[in-house]
Protein backbone atom coordinates (compact mmCIF):
# COMPACT_ATOMS: atom_id res chain seq x y z
CA UNK A 1 0.00 0.00 0.00
CA UNK A 2 1.58 3.28 -1.12
CA UNK A 3 1.18 5.96 1.48
CA UNK A 4 3.07 9.26 1.53
CA UNK A 5 2.58 11.57 4.48
CA UNK A 6 3.90 14.83 5.89
CA UNK A 7 7.29 15.22 7.57
CA UNK A 8 7.16 14.33 11.26
CA UNK A 9 9.38 13.09 14.08
CA UNK A 10 9.76 9.30 13.83
CA UNK A 11 11.07 6.98 16.57
CA UNK A 12 11.70 3.38 15.53
CA UNK A 13 12.00 0.90 18.40
CA UNK A 14 14.60 -1.80 17.95
CA UNK A 15 15.06 -4.99 19.98
CA UNK A 16 18.37 -5.69 18.22
CA UNK A 17 20.00 -2.26 18.47
CA UNK A 18 19.22 1.23 19.66
CA UNK A 19 16.18 3.36 18.99
CA UNK A 20 16.42 5.17 15.65
CA UNK A 21 15.00 8.72 15.53
CA UNK A 22 14.72 11.10 12.60
CA UNK A 23 12.44 13.63 10.94
CA UNK A 24 10.89 12.15 7.83
CA UNK A 25 7.80 10.79 6.17
CA UNK A 26 6.42 7.36 5.50
CA UNK A 27 6.83 6.22 1.91
CA UNK A 28 5.41 2.73 2.03
CA UNK A 29 3.99 0.26 4.51
CA UNK A 30 2.56 -3.22 4.47
CA UNK A 31 0.86 -5.56 6.90
CA UNK A 32 0.82 -9.30 6.20
CA UNK A 33 -0.43 -12.37 8.01
CA UNK A 34 1.12 -15.81 7.53
CA UNK A 35 -1.57 -18.43 8.15
CA UNK A 36 0.98 -21.24 8.46
CA UNK A 37 3.04 -19.62 11.23
CA UNK A 38 0.32 -17.41 12.73
CA UNK A 39 2.72 -14.47 12.43
CA UNK A 40 1.74 -10.90 11.63
CA UNK A 41 4.43 -8.78 9.92
CA UNK A 42 4.35 -4.99 9.66
CA UNK A 43 6.94 -3.24 7.47
CA UNK A 44 7.42 0.51 7.02
CA UNK A 45 9.79 2.47 4.81
CA UNK A 46 10.54 6.14 5.50
CA UNK A 47 12.49 8.87 3.76
CA UNK A 48 14.31 11.30 6.04
CA UNK A 49 14.98 15.01 5.66
CA UNK A 50 18.65 14.16 5.05
CA UNK A 51 17.84 11.79 2.17
CA UNK A 52 18.35 8.58 4.13
CA UNK A 53 15.99 5.61 4.26
CA UNK A 54 14.47 4.34 7.48
CA UNK A 55 13.15 0.79 7.61
CA UNK A 56 11.26 -0.98 10.37
CA UNK A 57 9.82 -4.46 10.58
CA UNK A 58 7.76 -5.77 13.48
CA UNK A 59 6.69 -9.38 13.57
CA UNK A 60 4.81 -11.33 16.18
CA UNK A 61 2.52 -14.25 16.76
CA UNK A 62 0.63 -13.11 19.84
CA UNK A 63 3.13 -14.71 22.24
CA UNK A 64 6.29 -12.94 21.13
CA UNK A 65 7.18 -9.81 19.20
CA UNK A 66 10.41 -8.69 17.53
CA UNK A 67 11.11 -5.14 16.40
CA UNK A 68 13.96 -4.34 14.01
CA UNK A 69 14.92 -0.95 12.64
CA UNK A 70 17.61 0.31 10.30
CA UNK A 71 18.74 3.61 8.85
CA UNK A 72 20.42 3.45 5.45
CA UNK A 73 22.34 6.09 3.51
CA UNK A 74 23.29 5.45 -0.11
CA UNK A 75 26.65 7.06 -0.89
CA UNK A 76 27.05 5.60 -4.36
CA UNK A 77 29.52 2.72 -4.14
CA UNK A 78 29.11 2.59 -0.36
CA UNK A 79 26.02 2.22 1.77
CA UNK A 80 26.05 3.27 5.42
CA UNK A 81 23.76 1.09 7.56
CA UNK A 82 22.88 1.59 11.22
CA UNK A 83 20.74 -0.40 13.61
CA UNK A 84 20.93 2.37 16.21
CA UNK A 85 23.94 0.79 17.93
CA UNK A 86 26.32 -0.24 15.17
CA UNK A 87 27.25 1.80 12.09
CA UNK A 88 28.60 -0.12 9.10
CA UNK A 89 29.93 1.11 5.78
CA UNK A 90 29.37 -1.58 3.17
CA UNK A 91 30.12 -1.82 -0.51
CA UNK A 92 26.67 -1.33 -2.09
CA UNK A 93 27.10 -4.22 -4.52
CA UNK A 94 28.14 -6.57 -1.70
CA UNK A 95 25.25 -5.40 0.48
CA UNK A 96 22.75 -6.19 -2.29
CA UNK A 97 24.40 -9.60 -2.84
CA UNK A 98 24.21 -10.44 0.88
CA UNK A 99 20.60 -9.26 0.98
CA UNK A 100 19.65 -11.36 -2.05
CA UNK A 101 21.32 -14.46 -0.54
CA UNK A 102 19.53 -13.88 2.76
CA UNK A 103 16.19 -13.60 0.98
CA UNK A 104 16.92 -16.74 -1.04
CA UNK A 105 17.77 -18.71 2.10
CA UNK A 106 14.64 -17.45 3.83
CA UNK A 107 12.51 -18.11 0.75
CA UNK A 108 13.28 -21.84 0.92
CA UNK A 109 10.91 -22.11 3.88
CA UNK A 110 8.06 -20.11 2.33
CA UNK A 111 5.45 -20.80 -0.32
CA UNK A 112 5.53 -19.44 -3.86
CA UNK A 113 2.97 -16.75 -2.92
CA UNK A 114 5.23 -15.44 -0.15
CA UNK A 115 8.24 -15.41 -2.48
CA UNK A 116 6.26 -13.39 -5.02
CA UNK A 117 5.30 -10.99 -2.21
CA UNK A 118 8.98 -10.47 -1.28
CA UNK A 119 9.85 -9.81 -4.94
CA UNK A 120 7.08 -7.19 -5.16
CA UNK A 121 8.32 -5.52 -1.95
CA UNK A 122 11.83 -5.28 -3.40
CA UNK A 123 10.47 -3.80 -6.62
CA UNK A 124 8.52 -1.18 -4.64
CA UNK A 125 11.60 -0.20 -2.62
CA UNK A 126 13.72 0.17 -5.77
CA UNK A 127 11.22 2.40 -7.64
Amino acid sequence: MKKTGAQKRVNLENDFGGQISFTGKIENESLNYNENSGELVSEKIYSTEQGRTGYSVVNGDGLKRERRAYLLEDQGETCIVSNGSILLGLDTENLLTFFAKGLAAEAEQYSTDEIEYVKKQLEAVNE
Side-chain angles (χ1 to χ4, degrees), residues 58-71:
V58 178
N59 59 318
D61 62 7
L63 299 174
K64 63 180 172 84
R65 177 180 69 175
E66 290 184 353
R67 301 171 296 181
R68 296 177 187 265
Y70 304 94
L71 191 60

Side-chain angles (χ1 to χ4, degrees), residues 44-100:
K44 294 182 182 180
I45 299 172
Y46 300 86
S47 60
T48 73
E49 283 183 323
Q50 296 82 21
R52 297 179 182 132
T53 300
Y55 173 74
S56 75
V57 59
V58 178
N59 59 318
D61 62 7
L63 299 174
K64 63 180 172 84
R65 177 180 69 175
E66 290 184 353
R67 301 171 296 181
R68 296 177 187 265
Y70 304 94
L71 191 60
L72 300 98
E73 182 178 350
D74 181 2
Q75 295 184 341
E77 292 184 22
T78 304
C79 186
I80 306 299
V81 181
S82 173
N83 72 347
S85 294
I86 299 171
L87 185 66
L88 296 173
L90 301 168
D91 177 82
T92 302
E93 188 173 323
N94 287 341
L95 177 65
L96 292 173
T97 300
F98 293 143
F99 184 63

Side-chain angles (χ1 to χ4, degrees), residues 6-127:
Q7 296 275 338
K8 67 177 186 173
R9 190 73 187 153
V10 177
N11 297 305
L12 303 178
E13 297 296 328
N14 192 352
D15 297 330
F16 300 91
Q19 183 182 62
I20 296 176
S21 299
F22 55 86
T23 299
K25 63 182 179 178
I26 194 161
E27 293 292 341
N28 205 328
E29 70 179 308
S30 67
L31 186 62
N32 296 287
Y33 179 71
N34 181 320
E35 289 183 18
N36 294 331
S37 67
E39 188 173 76
L40 187 63
V41 179
S42 170
E43 295 176 279
K44 294 182 182 180
I45 299 172
Y46 300 86
S47 60
T48 73
E49 283 183 323
Q50 296 82 21
R52 297 179 182 132
T53 300
Y55 173 74
S56 75
V57 59
V58 178
N59 59 318
D61 62 7
L63 299 174
K64 63 180 172 84
R65 177 180 69 175
E66 290 184 353
R67 301 171 296 181
R68 296 177 187 265
Y70 304 94
L71 191 60
L72 300 98
E73 182 178 350
D74 181 2
Q75 295 184 341
E77 292 184 22
T78 304
C79 186
I80 306 299
V81 181
S82 173
N83 72 347
S85 294
I86 299 171
L87 185 66
L88 296 173
L90 301 168
D91 177 82
T92 302
E93 188 173 323
N94 287 341
L95 177 65
L96 292 173
T97 300
F98 293 143
F99 184 63
K101 286 184 179 192
L103 284 176
E106 189 174 320
E108 290 176 5
Q109 60 184 311
Y110 293 113
S111 71
T112 304
D113 290 341
E114 291 165 324
I115 293 170
E116 288 303 314
Y117 165 74
V118 169
K119 288 179 183 177
K120 288 179 183 178
Q121 288 295 97
L122 286 172
E123 290 171 4
V125 169
N126 290 315
E127 288 181 350

